[in-house]
Amino acid sequence: MTQAPTELPAQTKKRKPRRVLPGFAPTMGFTLFYLSLIILIPLSAVFIKSAGHGFEAFWAAATAPRVLASYKLSFGASLLAASINLVFGLILAWSLVRYEFPGKKIVDALIDLPFALPTAVAGIALTALYAPNGWLGQLLAPWGIQVAFKPLGVLVALIFIGLPFIVRTVQPVLEDMETELEEAAASLGAHRWQTFRLVVLPTLTPALLTGFALAFARAVGEYGSVIFIAGNLPMVSEITPLMIISKLEQYDYVGATAIATVMLIFSFVLLLAINGLQAWSSKRNGQEGRK
């Protein structure tokens, strides 16, 4: 006759793992509260304020010729600057990770300079360099190239402030990438471009898209480093953030909120497309890796 199993001591019973942070409910509640207080409520206020004056007033303020010209410059220069940084940021990150050269640590530290430098200081420095009588401006003047007080100056400023986003996003991925895959591709007869296109680039694509999105988002809303070098000529070198400031100084809250709403919508759509493309690329790379 078998005996009934005795009850295990209390010390041997399985205990639930203790968590350092509180449970899901309070954590998620605090997260939603914080995001709502810092992001959702201010952004909702912009939409509500612009909608409260009627569609006709909103459309008239958002599609004025001077405002349309600022859209074209801000979004066009931001896309172009982010695209340029995408190429040269990848080259710079590759050099820092794969090569050793004198002054490497200094170069690595200088990349973060746009993060630490006040935007107004960056704008003044770029203007002093690229003005017609500046160190670089006077060298470009004989060639008929004027950077300061032109749309080209806006592009230069946006490239300056956006470069660190690409480098710092791609650099950790390159550091974790195994060089054995590249060596295996080379041993199978692949030349450098094939190795980069088929082995390296698919792994870097999500990081590149993330850096591109961050650089673009920063460039669209940049004000301090651009305002000095742009020249702020109507219909030529006025950026959209400057138009918003000008409307607020004139107490034209309808125009300011209308322009801000258009910028938010365009930015959300573009960032959503980039994030969707990034998710698709990561999913495809994961499926190919399992194969």
Side-chain angles (χ1 to χ4, degrees):
M1 184 174 180
T2 59
Q3 295 181 353
T6 59
E7 186 178 357
L8 295 175
Q11 292 81 0
T12 61
K13 290 183 179 180
K14 188 177 181 181
R15 297 179 178 179
K16 295 182 180 180
R18 297 183 63 183
R19 297 181 175 88
V20 178
L21 295 178
F24 173 77
T27 305
M28 180 56 66
F30 176 78
T31 301
L32 295 178
F33 170 76
Y34 188 78
L35 289 178
S36 299
L37 186 65
I38 301 300
I39 298 176
L40 297 180
I41 293 178
L43 294 184
S44 301
V46 173
F47 286 100
I48 295 172
K49 184 70 175 180
S50 61
H53 298 279
F55 180 76
E56 293 183 357
F58 168 83
W59 186 257
T63 59
R66 190 172 171 181
V67 177
L68 292 177
S70 72
Y71 294 153
K72 182 179 179 181
L73 177 61
S74 291
F75 286 100
S78 298
L79 282 173
L80 185 56
S83 301
I84 294 173
N85 281 329
L86 192 66
V87 176
F88 292 98
L90 173 59
I91 296 174
L92 186 53
W94 185 278
S95 301
L96 291 173
V97 173
R98 294 300 178 88
Y99 301 106
E100 295 292 336
F101 54 89
K104 176 180 177 179
K105 292 184 178 180
I106 297 177
V107 175
D108 193 23
L110 288 175
I111 293 174
D112 294 327
L113 185 61
F115 287 153
L117 194 66
T119 56
V121 175
I124 295 173
L126 291 174
T127 305
L129 284 175
Y130 288 100
N133 58 347
W135 290 353
L136 298 179
Q138 62 183 354
L139 298 177
L140 298 174
W143 299 89
I145 302 175
Q146 183 177 351
V147 178
F149 318 126
K150 294 290 183 179
L152 183 58
V154 177
L155 179 63
V156 170
L158 297 183
I159 292 174
F160 174 79
I161 57 99
L163 180 62
F165 291 96
I166 305 292
V167 177
R168 295 311 185 201
T169 306
V170 176
Q171 191 174 0
V173 181
L174 278 174
E175 291 174 348
D176 295 337
M177 186 181 299
E178 298 179 355
T179 57
E180 288 80 2
L181 297 176
E182 303 170 40
E183 296 172 356
S187 65
L188 294 174
H191 53 73
R192 292 183 177 181
W193 171 245
Q194 288 178 325
T195 302
F196 176 79
R197 183 170 58 88
L198 300 177
V199 178
V200 177
L201 189 58
T203 305
L204 293 180
T205 297
L208 287 171
L209 291 176
T210 301
F212 180 88
L214 292 173
F216 169 78
R218 170 67 187 276
V220 168
E222 181 61 22
Y223 178 79
S225 61
V226 178
I227 196 68
F228 295 99
I229 197 172
N232 310 321
L233 299 176
M235 307 293 293
V236 176
S237 59
E238 276 186 330
I239 58 174
T240 305
L242 175 63
M243 295 298 303
I244 297 176
I245 297 298
S246 300
K247 296 292 184 181
L248 291 175
E249 290 177 348
Q250 300 169 6
Y251 301 99
D252 184 5
Y253 300 114
V254 178
T257 54
I259 299 171
T261 302
V262 172
M263 289 193 69
L264 284 174
I265 293 174
F266 272 100
S267 299
F268 282 152
V269 170
L270 187 56
L271 291 177
L272 182 63
I274 293 173
N275 289 332
L277 183 60
Q278 178 187 359
W280 170 80
S281 177
S282 300
K283 183 179 179 180
R284 186 190 65 175
N285 292 339
Q287 292 175 350
E288 291 179 353
R290 287 192 294 269
K291 292 179 182 179

